[in-house]
């Protein structure tokens, strides 16, 4: 169990590092290269450097909001059911 968790954690850290380095090169270093440079072939167009994180932020906040909302609704149902059982 412990070794599996370490492997999973290491894999997640490696993936996050690769994404961070790729995004950093894409957004910070790439503008210093000429448009005709071959390095531009490895990256999407620059407007996606803003669109992609914005989309991920909206999607992530929507998932979190949906989870919190459904949890609140479930807790309120449990409280209402307990109150009905006490009064019955």
């Amino acid at each position: 169990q412990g070794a599996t968790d370490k492997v999973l954690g290491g894999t997640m850290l490696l993936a996050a590092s690769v994404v961070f380095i790729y995004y950093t090169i894409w957004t910070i270093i790439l503008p210093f290269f000429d448009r005709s440079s071959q390095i531009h072939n490895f990256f999407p167009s620059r407007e996606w450097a803003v669109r992609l994180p914005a989309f991920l932020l909206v999607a992530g906040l929507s998932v979190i909001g949906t989870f919190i909302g459904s949890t609140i609704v479930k807790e309120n149902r449990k409280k209402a059911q307990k109150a009905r059982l006490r009064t019955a």
Side-chain angles (χ1 to χ4, degrees):
Q1 177 70 18
T4 306
D5 290 343
K6 286 183 181 181
V7 170
L8 179 62
T11 304
M12 290 169 59
L13 182 62
L14 179 66
S17 299
V18 167
V19 169
F20 176 77
I21 291 169
Y22 182 84
Y23 187 77
T24 302
I25 292 170
W26 182 23
T27 57
I28 296 175
I29 298 173
L30 198 63
F32 293 108
F33 286 93
D34 188 39
R35 281 275 187 209
S36 61
S37 176
Q38 291 295 322
I39 195 168
H40 284 274
N41 295 335
F42 296 106
F43 298 93
S45 62
R46 298 244 332 144
E47 68 258 7
W48 285 102
V50 175
R51 288 181 184 173
L52 185 63
F55 172 75
L56 292 175
L57 180 66
V58 169
L61 290 175
S62 298
V63 168
I64 292 169
T66 302
F67 173 74
I68 291 172
S70 66
T71 303
I72 290 172
V73 167
K74 287 177 186 176
E75 288 298 318
N76 286 341
R77 284 183 186 160
K78 285 181 185 177
K79 287 180 183 177
Q81 188 175 15
K82 284 183 182 179
R84 271 186 262 136
L85 290 175
R86 270 190 255 136
T87 58

